[in-house]
Amino acid sequence: MAYDPYVRPNYELGIAASWLGAAGTLGVAWDFLQRPPSLLAIAAGLCAPAILWGARAARRVRRLDRDEVAKIRARDLLKRMRRWPRHAWLGWGFDWTPAHAQRALDYRLSGRKEDLSDAPGKPWIHGMNGGLEEEIRVPLKTLEGHTLLLGTTGSGKTRAFEVLVTQAIHRGDTAILLDPKGDKDLRERMERESRRAGRARDFLFFHPAFPSQSFRINPLQNFNRTTEIASRVASLMPSEGEAGPFKAFAFRSLNLVAQCLVDTGRRPTIRDLRNYIEGGAETLLIRAILAFADRERPGWRAEAAEWFDRAHAGKLRPLEGIPDPEDLAVYHWYRETLARTPAGAEGIDGLLSMVEHNRLHFSKMIASLLPILNMLTSGHLGELLSPDEERVDDPRLILDSSRILSGKYVVYIGLDALSDAMVASAIGAMLLADFASVAGQIYNRDVRAGPVWLFIDEAAEVVNDPFIQILNKGRGAGFQVVMATQTLPDLIARTGDESRARQIVGNCNNLISLRIKDGDTQKFVTETFGKTYVQTLQQNMGTSMQTQNNMAHYTGMNGQSLSYGECELFPQHLLGHLPNFHYIASLAGGRIVKGRLPVFAD
């Protein structure tokens, strides 16, 4: 079966050793031969090329089992960026072709003993090109179709993010990274490269565990309709089983409060929603009525004079939550004259019914909403996610998604999922919804601020419907998503539906796979790469004997046949044997690349 020169013993090493031995023997015996030194020089000159050729060829064959972690300095990466300004650099490697699939199959069947080391994976996979590799450059246009990064724990996903986010920073692009784990090295890399690129002021840091160092952000700041605000919060509620009516009731309550806040000229925050839903919306109702009356009925106070007189005389029915007579007069005037009429306001009418709703029943219907609002507004987290712009004693920066994109910032968002996975998931999902809203505004206005790189580690922790919208339509707004997860079942568990999980990964035109242990994920990756045909060498041997006239006649047969069979272009089992930082990638356009990534040396 040794019909491929890459899968065989290292004959070149023996050739080089033989010529070296011959040269050594010749040198030792020269004194006995008593020949002129010039002839010795000529003989050595004849041996030297053979030794060098054999050593070089032997080294190439030996590189099949090379196991080393490549390192790179940031300045060397910047040199590559200047050399190829319209490309992203993805380490070293080669294009994987059907010939390499053939070699991998032959190597496994050759019975060659593999070198064993403490590092995971089999380095010979990268040696299927005979040790030859080149710089892997991917056109930036190719990455506009989003990228899915798959890999088990410790296989190199974070280091891949380091390489990609460093290049985005030095290109001057907006770079946003959502990191549920909160990797310290990744954060320091982004901050360090921002300083190196002269963008130290652009670096922003958010982490619930470090509130004093974090900037503040309102994830409800950007929206086109108040229903978007209600959707962002209600989407965090459970929806399984009989939770549907409770979720719908909570959505309506959130939307009414948000709508009336906007009508009064205030941008909703999570803390506002909690205050008016948990503590009662009577105060907001009065403010909304006053704003509506001043805007739509300038002479309304003359119309309501009767109700003001009756309120001060104590002749109006009191209402819990509205102790002030002036407010009580406003409430009864609107309720008795404008409510549920064409002259009234739909949002105020809804809030009015919410205020008058049975308190006990209302508290039961929002029982699953209040814990979510409480956990997002408790302690320091409330100050981070519901910033008060009028507070002058807090110097921390207040931003929102729109400002981040227009300012072309470099943003690291740690979610602290190890400490509180539920809160981390809620924050990540709401921020993604905010970015989706901004992407829609950019797309509608056709005003872009340049490429926006959105890196999402452990994507299964935060994916939601708005994130799917970013994948579907974000490209038109300049968004380029690089999302990483360990397995496909992680996404299925998060979305609750395999078809929705495949919808997410199907929106990524590029797939980079590091080492994978999960069988379902391996099958998905190999399906993406497609199939090819490999050669199979079959050897047939046989003997037969015939007896005639007491004479035995022996015949023999020995033959070989070469057949073709279909197999995966990159064998599925090899996905579980890739060394750390090694990957196999399917890029837009059908290019399959086997590569390896470096770690930063500085």
Side-chain angles (χ1 to χ4, degrees), residues 346-420:
E346 182 179 351
I348 298 177
D349 290 348
L351 195 64
L352 185 67
S353 64
M354 174 178 156
V355 167
E356 295 176 346
H357 196 94
N358 181 273
R359 291 261 178 173
L360 181 60
H361 182 262
F362 183 82
S363 61
K364 291 180 178 179
M365 295 300 292
I366 62 170
S368 57
L369 171 64
L370 289 181
I372 295 174
L373 296 176
N374 284 326
M375 74 179 181
L376 293 175
T377 55
S378 300
H380 294 295
L381 190 59
E383 299 175 0
L384 292 179
L385 297 178
S386 301
D388 185 359
E389 297 187 5
E390 298 178 358
R391 184 177 173 182
V392 296
D393 60 337
D394 193 339
R396 291 175 297 177
L397 190 64
I398 298 178
L399 289 174
D400 60 80
S401 299
S402 180
R403 295 180 189 176
I404 289 174
L405 268 56
S406 60
K408 306 188 75 171
Y409 287 101
V410 177
V411 185
Y412 175 87
I413 301 175
L415 301 179
D416 199 23
L418 294 177
S419 300
D420 196 332

